[in-house]
Amino acid sequence: MDMPGHGDHGGHGGHEDARPMCAMNMALNWSTDNVCVLFDFWRITSGMSLVFSCAAVFALGYLYELSRTRVRSWELAQLTGRARLETPLVADGLGRSARWMRAVMYGLLVAYSYSLMLIFMTYNGFLILAVIGGAIAGHYAYATDALGAVRGANCH
């Protein structure tokens, strides 16, 4: 028994105009066809969108290194710019508000690094190279301490 609107999904309408699902690859690929980057609205569908996406991802990798360096500089300024507090609860010498600020900045850096990891996990070679290139360029531009290369990524 064929019920009207059920067999043909006539009651839903608009399926012909729906966007195709994002391409999900679990192996290294060089696809430029319907690759979603972090969000459904950020799609690679052409050579030009690939170029713009790679530039944006490169910038994100670069700015991540800048962010890490700025947070580290802020932490060092907090530790050297004031008298150290010597209490068991504040072993690092920071006051309560500075500790909260450091914790919030840490959380933001973790979220940022996970976003870069999710871009990496598209397994798209172009995007992977953009993340790595941005990280290299940012590290070159902003890493100022002697042990910069051993800082490691913040992705847990």
Side-chain angles (χ1 to χ4, degrees):
M1 176 169 179
D2 195 19
M3 310 251 332
H6 284 90
D8 62 359
H9 297 282
H12 297 284
H15 283 292
E16 307 83 42
D17 299 330
R19 294 173 74 172
M21 290 185 62
C22 296
M24 295 294 295
N25 293 299
M26 296 304 292
L28 183 65
N29 68 85
W30 300 93
S31 177
T32 60
D33 184 34
N34 208 32
V35 177
C36 289
V37 185
L38 286 183
F39 305 102
D40 186 50
F41 63 84
W42 185 1
R43 290 179 185 241
I44 297 173
T45 57
S46 66
M48 189 57 70
S49 63
L50 173 68
V51 169
F52 286 129
S53 293
C54 285
V57 169
F58 181 94
L60 288 171
Y62 183 88
L63 293 172
Y64 176 73
E65 292 299 322
L66 171 62
S67 300
R68 281 178 40 162
T69 300
R70 293 286 167 94
V71 168
R72 182 169 169 87
S73 296
W74 178 85
E75 286 178 320
L76 290 173
Q78 292 298 308
L79 291 173
T80 59
R82 62 173 61 173
R84 292 182 54 87
L85 301 173
E86 298 297 334
T87 66
L89 295 176
V90 189
D92 60 6
L94 294 175
R96 185 179 303 265
S97 64
R99 288 175 58 86
W100 273 111
M101 179 60 83
R102 181 175 68 174
V104 168
M105 288 190 289
Y106 176 77
L108 291 172
L109 283 176
V110 168
Y112 197 158
S113 69
Y114 276 122
S115 297
L116 289 173
M117 179 206 57
L118 289 173
I119 293 171
F120 206 96
M121 289 185 65
T122 63
Y123 296 101
N124 184 286
F126 298 113
L127 296 177
I128 289 171
L129 291 175
V131 169
I132 293 170
I136 290 170
H139 185 79
Y140 178 81
Y142 299 111
T144 57
D145 56 352
L147 302 176
V150 297
R151 291 184 303 173
N154 275 350
C155 192
H156 293 64

